[in-house]
Amino acid sequence: MVKIGGYRDVNEYYEQSSSVNHVDNIAIPFLAINSLDDRITPPQGIPVEKFAANPNIALALVPHGGHLGFLTGVKPKIWFIRPIEEFVAAILR
């Protein structure tokens, strides 16, 4: 992506591509779910203060899930659907 996008280096790519640059501009209800063991987007990269300052955002930090691997149970099944349904239902009330 660095060469294709014309970025100076990988740091410039990450700085300009990061969602941290857009959190302040979220103007509709938004649910963000991130696991604390995600190696792609580790917790130290989550701008918790920015999320907290925007009333349109609900940030859910969960202990496990990796990157998009929100599974639970002996027979693993995806659990993140239910919180999304609850979030949307709360908005529509």
Side-chain angles (χ1 to χ4, degrees), residues 62-74:
V62 297
H64 303 291
H67 192 71
L68 303 176
F70 299 105
L71 303 172
T72 187
V74 175

Side-chain angles (χ1 to χ4, degrees), residues 40-80:
I40 305 296
T41 54
Q44 59 268 30
I46 301 169
V48 176
E49 330 66 51
K50 284 187 164 217
F51 278 94
N54 187 328
N56 295 306
I57 301 175
L59 174 61
L61 296 174
V62 297
H64 303 291
H67 192 71
L68 303 176
F70 299 105
L71 303 172
T72 187
V74 175
K75 183 178 178 188
K77 62 182 189 178
I78 297 170
W79 65 261
F80 69 85

Side-chain angles (χ1 to χ4, degrees), residues 11-86:
N11 291 328
E12 182 182 43
Y13 166 74
Y14 282 119
E15 287 171 10
Q16 292 187 18
S17 301
S18 174
S19 59
V20 72
N21 301 318
H22 306 285
V23 172
D24 296 334
N25 300 321
I26 295 175
I28 59 171
F30 179 83
L31 172 62
I33 301 173
N34 194 272
S35 70
L36 297 173
D37 66 352
D38 187 335
R39 292 178 185 224
I40 305 296
T41 54
Q44 59 268 30
I46 301 169
V48 176
E49 330 66 51
K50 284 187 164 217
F51 278 94
N54 187 328
N56 295 306
I57 301 175
L59 174 61
L61 296 174
V62 297
H64 303 291
H67 192 71
L68 303 176
F70 299 105
L71 303 172
T72 187
V74 175
K75 183 178 178 188
K77 62 182 189 178
I78 297 170
W79 65 261
F80 69 85
I81 302 299
R82 184 167 181 154
I84 292 170
E85 290 172 340
E86 292 173 359

